Amino acid sequence: MMSRSEPTHWPLAVLDWGTSNLRAYCVDEAGTILGQVSRDAGVKTMPEAGYPVLVQQLLADLAPPAPIRHALLVGMVGSELGWRETPMRPAPASLSDLAHHLNPVPGHPCRVIPGVSALSVAGLPDMMRGEETQVLGALAETGQTSGLFCLPGTHCKWVQCDDGRITRITTAMTGELFDLLTRHSVLRAQTGSDDTEDDLTAFDEGVQTALTGLGAAQLAFSVRPRALVADKSGAASARSYLSGILIGAELQTMQAHQKGSALTIIGAPALTRAYARACVILDIKAKTMDGATAVSRGAALIHHHWLGDIHARQGLVR
């Protein structure tokens, strides 16, 4: 058993570090969130010298009930753009596989969780960093061993799991396409700024339009004549309609390749609600899960596996 002088391994800090944002959680042994903070400090704006300072600030700001002696870093922080480049694990990838290949940051109480690479539904190379932890946490949270997971975002990840392992990854650039079309295309005049409110009726219309099966590239331009010819004007209406087209087309395409798979949508509440709403219109059975819950549960389980490896190597009995 662990001696009383050995430092405690809990609570654990989980730093979900993406390209644009950083969310940090303090979690207990069950993966329950005890505290959380966020920063607009994604890896694309972080100087290398700033990582250690910010990590120490985050550990202090989380204000845990006990000192945090371990931190797991998730996401783009492990890419070539981040703090500690960490090779991705090839599929099939499990919790124990990721735990076996954590990448320690010398001089800091941090380990980076590797991303995962796999073939897409088209048989093309694909990859992800951060979503693997959410997906494996969601498997445990739902009691599933297999299933299909959709993780909306700038680059939406569709992840197939079989027997507790990630086996396939397909990326849809839906979020980035929406941003590019509304900011830099001819549709900018109709869609306006990104501070407009959602128009759910227009969103539903966009999803229904996607049912024509023409695809996003053919349907996206309809935003412009819809406003100028059909007199359905207003930035909120146009943006929501375009969002419905893009999300509806994505869901239709993926369901055509993944028929019969139970779908779980993981992410921020606003995005999961939009995808779930589109699923109702498209008659796709789906459930949602909060992304923070999924990543915290997944990271805690990876930490448990890592501790088990440490104890096994030391010949300890837990």
Side-chain angles (χ1 to χ4, degrees):
M1 295 180 63
M2 242 184 352
S3 68
R4 293 189 178 183
S5 61
E6 188 174 349
T8 179
H9 295 296
W10 303 93
L12 170 72
V14 180
L15 277 55
D16 188 359
W17 217 319
T19 304
S20 303
N21 297 290
L22 165 63
R23 291 169 293 275
Y25 308 97
C26 175
V27 305
D28 64 13
E29 295 181 61
T32 302
I33 298 174
L34 305 176
Q36 60 187 76
V37 295
S38 61
R39 296 285 187 276
D40 292 327
V43 299
K44 70 178 180 182
T45 59
M46 279 293 296
E48 186 169 351
Y51 283 102
V53 175
L54 183 52
V55 167
Q56 290 303 315
Q57 290 176 351
L58 290 168
L59 297 186
D61 291 345
L62 285 170
I68 296 178
R69 301 183 184 277
H70 297 275
L72 288 184
L73 277 53
V74 184
M76 289 298 289
V77 68
S79 73
E80 77 282 2
L81 302 175
W83 187 18
R84 180 73 170 169
E85 187 171 1
T86 302
M88 289 178 288
R89 299 300 304 158
S94 65
L95 280 165
S96 59
D97 184 36
L98 298 181
H100 292 336
H101 294 89
L102 296 178
N103 191 10
V105 181
H108 303 279
C110 304
R111 294 174 179 81
V112 181
I113 298 175
V116 174
S117 63
L119 294 181
S120 71
V121 294
L124 302 172
D126 213 319
M127 61 186 186
M128 60 187 180
R129 288 189 184 273
E131 293 89 356
E132 74 292 323
T133 305
Q134 289 181 299
V135 167
L136 293 171
L139 275 180
E141 189 74 13
T142 60
Q144 297 175 246
T145 57
S146 301
L148 178 63
F149 298 86
C150 169
L151 297 95
T154 302
H155 299 153
C156 183
K157 302 294 180 179
W158 288 76
V159 184
Q160 178 66 43
C161 290
D162 298 288
D163 298 323
R165 298 176 179 180
I166 294 170
T167 55
R168 196 172 298 280
I169 303 166
T170 305
T171 302
M173 296 177 66
T174 305
E176 186 164 5
L177 284 173
F178 179 82
D179 185 67
L180 290 170
L181 289 171
T182 55
R183 291 176 183 270
H184 304 292
S185 81
V186 69
L187 304 181
R188 181 178 61 179
Q190 281 69 49
T191 55
S193 63
D194 58 5
D195 58 357
T196 55
E197 295 183 2
D198 294 333
D199 182 333
L200 295 180
T201 300
F203 177 83
D204 293 349
E205 182 187 344
V207 177
Q208 291 285 356
T209 300
L211 279 169
T212 61
L214 286 177
Q218 288 76 16
L219 296 173
F221 183 77
S222 67
V223 171
R224 185 166 169 78
R226 177 179 177 271
L228 299 178
V229 179
D231 197 28
K232 293 186 178 181
S233 59
S237 178
R239 291 178 70 86
S240 296
Y241 173 72
L242 177 61
S243 177
I245 286 175
L246 296 178
I247 291 174
E250 176 192 342
L251 286 166
Q252 277 194 296
T253 300
M254 291 308 303
Q255 278 300 110
H257 288 276
Q258 305 272 183
K259 286 183 178 178
S261 298
L263 180 62
T264 302
I265 306 167
I266 307 170
L271 271 176
T272 58
R273 282 196 299 269
Y275 272 71
R277 186 180 183 91
C279 282
V280 172
I281 297 172
L282 298 172
D283 196 26
I284 298 171
K285 293 183 179 180
K287 56 187 175 183
T288 62
M289 179 177 293
D290 180 62
T293 299
V295 74
S296 298
R297 181 72 186 275
L301 289 169
I302 289 170
H303 192 52
H304 276 294
H305 278 275
W306 178 79
L307 291 174
D309 290 344
I310 295 296
H311 292 161
R313 286 197 293 268
Q314 293 177 345
L316 298 177
V317 179
R318 296 189 68 183

